[in-house]
Amino acid sequence: LLSSVPNIQIIFASTLESKLTCSNVGCIGCSVTYDSIHGLELALGGVHSVQEALHKYFAHEVLSDNNRWRCHDCGQSVRATKSMRLSTVAETLVLTLMRFDSTGNKLHDNISFNEALDISISNVLVKFRLLAVVVHLGETTRSGHYIAYVKRQSLWYQISDLDITLITFKNVQKCEAYILVYTKETTAELDIRLNIQRAEAAEEKRIREATAKIQEVAEMGKKIKEAETAEEKRIREATAKIQEVAADRG
C-alpha cells in the first residue's frame, strides 16, 4: 500500500543494502541485495541508547554452521559475513524500538535519545533532528494508551487524545520511547542551528569573561579592604603609643 503512494515513498522510503561475502581464501564472491524500507526496527537488550541500538543493528554478522551461505563464485556452502547499511535515506527516518517480547509483554529497558542523530549513508554523515516521539502506556500489546511528543517551532508538546500540554525536552527524554521520528536536516536548517550554537557559545564566553572580571574586581576590593583595615589598625596602634608616651611625660 505504501509503495503505491509516491509522496509516502519520498517521505519515508529508504534503501537498505545487505551484502554477503564469502570467507574462502582467494574467493571474492559476494551477493548484494537492496530493499526498500520505511523505517528501522531496533532490538533492545544490551543497549542503553538509540546510537548503541543502531550500532547493534548494523553490526556485521557471521553466518556459519546450519546457517552457511552457498557462494555462487566458488560453489561451496561457506561461512559468510553479512553486513548491512543504508545506501539511501528518506527525508523522514522512523525508528521503532522493539518494546514487546514474543508474548506481547512490555520491555521497560531505559533507552536514551537526543534531538540530534548522525547516520552514515554511503560513507557520508547525514544529520537528523528529532521531530516526534510515540509512547505506549501499558504492559502488553493487547491494551494500553498511546501518547505523542511533538516538536513545533523549537517547542515540545505532549499530546494525549485532545489534551495538548507544553513540555520541556528534558522531560521528553525521561519517557519510555516506542517510536522515534527523525527528519533530515536541510543545509539551511543546519546553518541556522550552527549560527545559533556559535551565538550561544559567544554569549557563554562573554558571560564567563564578565564573571571572571567581576570576581577579579571583587578580589581586588577585598585586598583593598584588607589593606585599609591593616592601615587603620596601624594608625590606632600608633595613636595609642603616642598617647601612652604623652601620659608618661605628663
Side-chain angles (χ1 to χ4, degrees), residues 164-184:
I164 301 176
T165 308
L166 186 64
I167 192 172
T168 65
F169 183 64
K170 282 189 176 181
N171 282 328
V172 176
Q173 286 179 301
K174 296 176 183 177
C175 78
E176 237 178 42
Y178 178 33
I179 299 173
L180 298 155
V181 182
Y182 284 89
T183 183
K184 191 187 294 182

Side-chain angles (χ1 to χ4, degrees), residues 45-197:
V47 298
H48 303 92
S49 68
V50 167
Q51 286 286 12
E52 288 182 8
L54 283 168
H55 181 75
K56 180 179 179 180
Y57 184 92
F58 290 109
H60 289 190
E61 178 186 356
V62 176
L63 305 182
S64 60
D65 299 329
N66 295 330
N67 200 25
R68 285 173 174 260
W69 172 63
R70 179 168 288 280
C71 175
H72 300 297
D73 279 42
C74 64
Q76 299 181 38
S77 292
V78 298
R79 293 177 73 253
T81 300
K82 180 181 179 180
S83 61
M84 295 191 301
R85 68 168 187 162
L86 288 173
S87 57
T88 66
V89 68
E91 295 300 316
T92 302
L93 180 64
V94 179
L95 304 179
T96 301
L97 303 182
M98 299 173 69
R99 285 210 170 271
F100 299 96
D101 61 21
S102 58
T103 64
N105 291 320
K106 185 78 161 288
L107 302 175
H108 293 284
D109 300 46
N110 184 25
I111 306 297
S112 66
F113 57 90
N114 296 310
E115 282 195 272
L117 179 68
D118 296 342
I119 295 183
S120 179
I121 312 296
S122 296
N123 298 320
V124 176
L125 198 64
V126 179
K127 294 183 176 295
F128 291 85
R129 300 294 290 178
L130 187 61
L131 182 65
V133 182
V134 177
V135 176
H136 173 267
L137 303 178
E139 294 301 322
T140 73
T141 56
R142 298 175 291 279
S143 64
H145 175 65
Y146 289 94
I147 64 172
Y149 298 98
V150 179
K151 184 179 182 182
R152 179 174 172 81
Q153 297 179 347
S154 77
L155 297 177
W156 281 92
Y157 297 89
Q158 176 182 295
I159 302 174
S160 177
D161 293 334
L162 297 179
D163 295 329
I164 301 176
T165 308
L166 186 64
I167 192 172
T168 65
F169 183 64
K170 282 189 176 181
N171 282 328
V172 176
Q173 286 179 301
K174 296 176 183 177
C175 78
E176 237 178 42
Y178 178 33
I179 299 173
L180 298 155
V181 182
Y182 284 89
T183 183
K184 191 187 294 182
E185 201 164 38
T186 65
T187 303
E189 290 170 337
L190 181 59
D191 288 342
I192 291 172
R193 186 162 61 85
L194 289 176
N195 287 334
I196 291 173
Q197 288 176 346

